[in-house]
Amino acid sequence: MEQIDAHKCFGGWQRRYTHESKVCDCTMTFAVFLPPQAEQGPVPAVYYLSGLTCTDENFVNKAGAQRVAAELGLALIAPDTSPRGHNLPGEDDSYDFGSAAGFYVNATQPPWAGKYNMYDYVVEELPALIKSEFAATVSDKASIMGHSMGGHGALVIGLRNADRYASVSAFSPIVAPGQVPWGHKALGGYLGDDRAAWRDYDATALVEDGKRFPGPAPLIDQGLDDGFLEEQLRPELLEDAAKAAGIEVSVRHQPGYDHSYFFIATFMEDHLRHHGKALLG
């Protein structure tokens, strides 16, 4: 692991690292914010998964999360959105598949299999690295959140690993990739044509199949002026599935807000306090 950037921030440190990933077979980059409380001992962490076209830097530079994280005593961990540098055919041809579009799945189709394993990276490899390298500053307690494609990832990972996370939240998530164009392209390309295999990476399908979220009801914010709302995001599908399953999902419909980081920054404090309550009591 190599530190490639560091900045003092709200009494803590915003740092950036690279390391060699076995599950993605390449060099991966991630960011960590350590609040000032980490100097006194390990603090819980919130993992943030970014959306299409993003790296770890979008969240770090635009979300305005460090101030509240420093107040609460939460570490923030932001991985990249895909492997980089494999030079696979078609890897850089479009914004919604390949580079910066790993969709937080374990790919099974060539040439992506064995390389595009962002699910295992987020769930297994990166937390193990954090435990190994940051034992003095970051505890095992964790929550997870994300935006758009990353919101999809956070919901799916929370549902499939309820024992690992204290809470889940999302901004404008893709709640049912099996039913929208972004998901059809990504899941079809990474997992193949068998739609039964897609259900493992579809939050709405997982709720229908009996999976449940950890901790309090997940907090989901959706801007009503989001240009992707009707075709790609469709939060009503998750709301309907949750209602049918008898579980609570807190979806807040925000008039006038779009898909941008201006929207995310507006409600970031609410999300961090949601996680802080679950992690810190």
Side-chain angles (χ1 to χ4, degrees):
M1 191 179 74
E2 179 184 356
Q3 180 176 294
I4 58 173
D5 198 19
H7 302 277
K8 189 79 172 180
C9 183
F10 291 103
W13 283 93
Q14 181 65 61
R15 304 181 190 273
R16 199 168 185 231
Y17 300 89
T18 60
H19 73 106
E20 294 306 310
S21 167
K22 293 182 179 179
V23 300
C24 293
D25 191 29
C26 67
T27 301
M28 293 292 289
T29 303
F30 67 96
V32 176
F33 173 71
L34 294 176
Q37 295 88 335
E39 294 181 4
Q40 307 304 318
V43 299
V46 178
Y47 285 77
Y48 180 90
L49 309 183
S50 290
L52 292 167
T53 76
C54 292
T55 69
D56 59 287
E57 291 186 290
N58 295 75
F59 167 71
V60 167
N61 295 336
K62 296 180 178 180
Q66 293 92 340
R67 176 184 62 82
V68 179
E71 175 196 330
L72 297 175
L74 297 173
L76 302 173
I77 301 171
D80 201 350
T81 52
S82 79
R84 306 276 178 173
H86 284 303
N87 298 316
L88 302 174
E91 189 173 37
D92 300 315
D93 289 354
S94 60
Y95 80 96
D96 54 0
F97 189 81
S99 294
F103 251 82
Y104 305 102
V105 306
N106 287 338
T108 59
Q109 300 299 301
W112 317 99
K115 301 181 186 301
Y116 272 62
N117 289 328
M118 287 302 295
Y119 179 87
D120 276 354
Y121 181 74
V122 171
V123 174
E124 302 289 351
E125 188 173 47
L126 183 56
L129 183 67
I130 296 297
K131 184 174 183 178
S132 171
E133 301 294 331
F134 295 86
T137 52
V138 181
S139 76
D140 290 336
K141 293 183 178 180
S143 291
I144 192 164
M145 62 193 286
H147 170 234
S148 194
M149 176 186 72
H152 139 77
L155 294 175
V156 165
I157 288 170
L159 283 164
R160 290 180 58 179
N161 302 274
D163 59 326
R164 295 185 180 222
Y165 301 98
S167 51
V168 178
S169 76
F171 299 90
S172 48
I174 306 167
V175 303
Q179 301 182 57
V180 301
W182 274 342
H184 291 171
K185 182 174 182 177
L187 299 183
Y190 293 133
L191 304 177
D193 295 332
D194 180 7
R195 295 202 174 197
W198 297 8
R199 296 185 71 84
D200 283 343
Y201 299 102
D202 184 313
T204 297
L206 288 168
V207 168
E208 292 172 347
D209 292 344
K211 295 292 186 180
R212 296 295 179 261
F213 291 104
L219 175 61
I220 297 173
D221 274 308
Q222 175 60 62
L224 295 184
D225 279 15
D226 190 321
F228 301 113
L229 175 58
E230 293 185 4
E231 183 180 28
Q232 304 283 13
L233 306 178
R234 303 188 64 188
E236 72 279 359
L237 296 175
L238 179 61
E239 292 178 275
D240 291 345
K243 183 177 180 180
I247 64 173
E248 184 180 357
V249 176
S250 177
V251 181
R252 307 193 305 188
H253 302 271
Q254 306 289 5
Y257 287 92
D258 57 20
H259 201 70
S260 71
Y261 266 86
F262 295 105
F263 159 63
I264 295 170
T266 300
F267 299 104
M268 177 57 67
E269 180 169 350
D270 291 352
H271 285 245
L272 289 177
R273 293 194 185 280
H274 168 79
H275 295 302
K277 186 175 181 180
L279 289 165
L280 300 167

